[in-house]
Amino acid sequence: MKGISYMVPVIVAGGVLLAFSFIGGTPTKSGYVITNPFMQTLNLLGNAGFAMMVPVLGAYVAYSIAGRPGLTPGFILGYIANNPIGNTQLKAGFLGAFLMGILAGYFVRWMKSWKIPTMLKPIMPVLIIPVISVLVLGLFYVYVINTPIVIFSEWILSVLNALENANIILFAFVLGLIARLIWVVRFVKRSRYSVLR
């Protein structure tokens, strides 16, 4: 949830600027063309916000698990997940960035527990952790889990689209069930934290 809470302002900033940019546009057969130079600049800023929202999600999911050292692998792996890569040129998007943020967070947290010589401790968060985590998890994403994540994402979208077209009540029920499941997970996590305190 922390990743989503950090991502929302990025979406809002990008979305508002993008919406304003279309004020100076002209509808054509090929689409909406923005001719005003100032509005083109706003469009550029809005698109930059939308391009950043998925890496921000991955970074702050990792941050919520591992702290500040998780930001670098989270940003980089979130960016990789949101762009076509490899021979397949597939991108995993939100789901890939979310998963890579979780993996980066736990991987970095494990690396922080390593027993290392005192002389290496100062360079651990700025050199060793970022390089190793990005290298290991980046290769793991590209060569192992990229295709399965994309297939799973496309399957979920096809199921939701089929539900939406078949029965709007069933579609609403499934979305409500997902929202309730998220609420239950947060409630259990919060309850466990309060008991531990």
Side-chain angles (χ1 to χ4, degrees):
M1 294 307 294
K2 181 172 282 191
I4 293 172
S5 67
Y6 279 102
M7 180 184 70
V8 167
V10 179
I11 297 172
V12 171
V16 169
L17 292 173
L18 205 60
F20 275 122
S21 73
F22 287 113
I23 295 172
T26 305
T28 64
K29 291 182 180 180
S30 59
Y32 210 71
V33 177
I34 301 171
T35 54
N36 185 297
F38 179 72
M39 294 303 178
Q40 288 175 348
T41 304
L42 290 186
N43 187 268
L44 177 67
L45 295 173
N47 282 319
F50 277 127
M52 283 301 300
M53 66 183 177
V54 175
V56 166
L57 172 67
Y60 282 98
V61 166
Y63 173 78
S64 68
I65 298 168
R68 194 172 64 179
L71 284 173
T72 297
F75 270 119
I76 294 173
L77 296 169
Y79 174 83
I80 292 297
N82 197 41
N83 288 279
I85 194 163
N87 295 329
T88 58
Q89 287 294 294
L90 298 173
K91 67 175 185 176
F94 282 98
L95 186 61
F98 183 72
L99 178 62
M100 294 313 295
I102 292 172
L103 291 176
Y106 283 109
F107 189 81
V108 169
R109 193 158 82 173
W110 171 67
M111 289 185 70
K112 287 167 66 176
S113 68
W114 289 359
K115 303 298 181 188
I116 59 170
T118 306
M119 61 181 293
L120 293 178
K121 285 185 178 179
I123 63 169
M124 190 75 173
V126 295
L127 177 63
I128 298 174
I129 289 177
V131 171
I132 293 177
S133 60
V134 170
L135 176 66
V136 171
L137 294 175
L139 292 175
F140 178 68
Y141 171 77
V142 173
Y143 292 110
V144 179
I145 64 171
N146 179 24
T147 302
I149 290 175
V150 171
I151 292 170
F152 181 68
S153 300
E154 290 176 351
W155 176 77
I156 288 177
L157 286 174
S158 65
V159 168
L160 291 175
N161 285 331
L163 284 175
E164 184 180 14
N165 294 330
N167 190 334
I168 194 70
I169 295 174
L170 183 60
F171 178 69
F173 176 76
V174 170
L175 289 182
L177 191 63
I178 293 170
R180 179 55 63 179
L181 182 62
I182 292 170
W183 180 86
V184 168
V185 169
R186 289 182 66 193
F187 177 77
V188 170
K189 185 178 177 182
R190 193 179 302 127
S191 301
R192 191 189 318 163
Y193 177 72
S194 60
V195 168
L196 290 174
R197 287 184 67 187

